[in-house]
Amino acid sequence: MLPDKDGPNGGGGVQDGPGTEDPSVTLFREYLRLKTVHPEPDYGTSETLLPCPAVNRSAISVCPGRVVAIITWVGSRPELKSVVLNSHTDVVPVYEEHWKHDPFAAVKDEHGNIYGRGSQDMKCVTIQYIEAIRRLKAAGKRFSRTIHLTFVPDEEVGGHKGMETFVKHPEFQKLNIGFALDEGLANPTNAYTVFYGEKNPWWITVRCPGSPGHGSRFVENTAAEKLVSVFRMLNTNECFTLGDVTTVNMTMVKGGVAYNVVPAEMDVSFDLRIPPTVNLQEFEEKIKAWCKEAGEDVTYDFAQKHMDQNFTSTEESDPWWHAFSSTCKAMNMTLKKEIFPAATDSRFIREEGLPAIGFSPMNLTPILLHDHNEYLNEQVFLRGIQVYERLVPALASVPPLSGGE
Ligand SMILES: [Zn+2]
Ligand SMILES: [Zn+2]
């Protein structure tokens, strides 16, 4: 456990009297204070903050400086397929000047809202898993299936040095996974959203070479003209079909050296999110054609190109979904099934042919992931622990699957 320099409620906001804050909330706030933020996440210290007594721990190095930590609670029938509770440890950067509290101070305001980068995405879930496991163990429970908690780096930058590499590691196979839970999104209503599939992220950089020259001349065939042309074509309505929306955002532009020098090249990057129903081969052909139309020398590269279109079953006949949904029903929770609009590490798990459900138990909460002033209310956080206290036993007690395991 890390020392808490500011006391239990450090950083301002409401000061609970000593000992009045639930220790799991205190742990959550301590975790929020760790700067596992890109572009240089401090992963070293997060290792020490994940206390989970009397369970096996291991650490798999997937790349230099990148470790997947695993906490395992072995089941009474370890030959059965396991349940994975996955979370990523990194968070996205902040625009600090737009926050009303320091995004790494975990300030709790008078309403119990805890502000911090990662409070929704997804440090809450990490601590909720840990706390649920701790409580179940303390209550003397044991389940037939083994439970693995996996803590994965680099989700927010594409997972290359995280889950994408981990799923190909022999240690991943050894986990003998039957089913995985991973992150979802908050829901502003009383319902909880669950995700059984997700859009395919494509991160594309288009390189536009062009004729250089003096900034005062009529230069033709410029890099900027080509860039604008690519942008216009990618933003056409052809990308959108109602209900199945492909989103396109221009996210980076590079090029230029001086006001009066027409640049020899400009690069433009796009973040595309494509629904699983779109024909991806056809879509790439379109992109290729648009680039060609912008200029014969215009090329493109993918930094992220996911092609998997697997869904996880949400049929009542599916034993994993049945365990999940019937437990939620028993807790009077309303579930909304959706396709995840962005991307999570679940896509790599599903690509291995394994079922994964995206779920972060945050109802009555605005969706603030990656946004300024990301927060989670402590009562919602505490309720989420109770949800996992019911869900984990149900999943880890799913009877042996028909057809053998
Ligand atoms: Zn996330
Ligand atoms: Zn995120």
Side-chain angles (χ1 to χ4, degrees):
M1 180 78 68
L2 290 185
D4 186 353
K5 295 183 195 67
D6 304 318
N9 300 291
V14 152
Q15 302 292 308
D16 288 316
T20 60
E21 184 173 82
D22 189 294
S24 60
V25 173
T26 307
L27 182 63
F28 174 40
R29 294 174 67 194
E30 285 183 28
Y31 190 34
L32 287 173
R33 292 185 190 117
L34 299 184
K35 292 202 166 176
T36 56
V37 57
H38 289 287
E40 284 179 28
D42 176 8
Y43 287 128
T45 46
S46 61
E47 273 280 284
T48 60
L49 192 85
L50 303 172
C52 220
V55 283
N56 304 332
R57 297 181 71 118
S58 57
I60 312 299
S61 176
V62 285
C63 290
R66 295 291 183 270
V67 165
V68 174
I70 305 171
I71 290 175
T72 298
W73 185 7
V74 179
S76 58
R77 295 191 59 186
E79 73 280 8
L80 297 182
K81 289 195 187 307
S82 65
V83 173
V84 160
L85 307 176
N86 184 64
S87 59
H88 64 82
T89 53
D90 55 326
V91 299
V92 292
V94 293
Y95 289 94
E96 202 154 346
E97 65 276 22
H98 291 290
W99 284 64
K100 48 180 152 176
H101 304 289
D102 176 348
F104 298 99
V107 170
K108 183 165 73 174
D109 74 7
E110 67 275 22
H111 308 292
N113 295 331
I114 298 165
Y115 287 82
R117 175 57 88 219
S119 53
Q120 293 191 11
D121 181 14
M122 63 173 299
K123 289 184 169 179
C124 50
V125 174
T126 304
I127 303 299
Q128 286 165 328
Y129 289 156
I130 288 174
E131 183 62 16
I133 295 290
R134 197 192 60 72
R135 292 183 194 179
L136 291 166
K137 269 199 96 65
K141 306 276 192 216
R142 187 154 187 218
F143 312 106
S144 55
R145 293 179 186 272
T146 294
I147 300 160
H148 300 288
L149 282 73
T150 50
F151 308 97
V152 180
D154 273 21
E155 190 278 336
E156 294 291 8
V157 288
H160 297 311
K161 293 180 180 172
M163 188 60 94
E164 185 174 16
T165 304
F166 181 48
V167 296
K168 302 297 175 198
H169 197 286
E171 291 298 324
F172 183 84
Q173 294 306 321
K174 286 192 200 157
L175 297 180
N176 189 27
I177 299 171
F179 178 82
L181 282 183
D182 194 7
E183 67 187 310
L185 294 177
N187 188 316
T189 75
N190 192 43
Y192 293 82
T193 324
V194 288
F195 299 94
Y196 59 95
E198 48 192 59
K199 288 187 177 177
N200 285 288
W202 283 13
W203 289 349
I204 305 176
T205 294
V206 181
R207 292 184 210 297
C208 305
S211 308
H214 193 286
S216 66
R217 296 178 59 82
F218 291 108
V219 182
E220 285 186 355
N221 210 22
T222 63
E225 278 168 35
K226 293 175 191 173
L227 185 152
V228 170
S229 162
V230 169
F231 172 77
R232 287 219 176 104
M233 285 186 274
L234 262 171
N235 265 294
T236 63
N237 284 337
E238 270 191 80
C239 285
F240 307 104
T241 50
L242 208 64
D244 268 343
V245 180
T246 294
T247 57
V248 182
N249 276 295
M250 185 168 88
T251 49
M252 289 187 286
V253 180
K254 285 187 199 135
V257 289
Y259 279 107
N260 57 357
V261 177
V262 178
E265 180 172 319
M266 292 190 87
D267 298 343
V268 56
S269 302
F270 297 93
D271 184 350
L272 280 75
R273 306 299 173 119
I274 311 165
T277 44
V278 169
N279 182 321
L280 297 175
Q281 281 73 23
E282 274 178 23
F283 194 70
E284 189 179 349
E285 286 306 316
K286 263 186 206 166
I287 292 173
K288 201 185 274 179
W290 289 331
C291 287
K292 200 169 172 198
E293 206 177 319
E296 286 293 334
D297 49 1
V298 172
T299 58
Y300 64 90
D301 282 311
F302 284 97
Q304 184 76 224
K305 185 187 188 191
H306 206 78
M307 300 290 280
D308 184 58
Q309 294 170 306
N310 278 337
F311 295 125
T312 292
S313 173
T314 54
E315 299 291 328
E316 284 307 322
S317 57
D318 181 273
W320 300 109
W321 176 255
H322 180 74
F324 185 95
S325 62
S326 59
T327 305
C328 293
K329 202 170 170 194
M331 297 184 83
N332 287 323
M333 294 162 61
T334 305
L335 297 182
K336 291 262 178 294
K337 294 191 256 182
E338 287 184 14
I339 297 287
F340 198 77
T344 74
D345 277 339
S346 292
R347 70 193 185 283
F348 301 116
I349 299 172
R350 292 195 188 104
E351 201 171 17
E352 293 302 303
L354 300 169
I357 288 290
F359 174 64
S360 300
M362 299 183 285
N363 67 342
L364 305 171
T365 302
I367 299 174
L368 289 169
L369 82 171
H370 297 209
D371 206 342
H372 311 319
N373 298 312
E374 180 181 354
Y375 73 82
L376 182 62
N377 185 273
E378 76 177 318
Q379 296 309 325
V380 177
F381 170 79
L382 289 168
R383 170 83 177 139
I385 297 172
Q386 295 171 347
V387 172
Y388 286 120
E389 274 184 86
R390 299 277 295 269
L391 273 180
V392 171
L395 292 167
S397 305
V398 164
L401 308 176
S402 60
E405 294 239 354

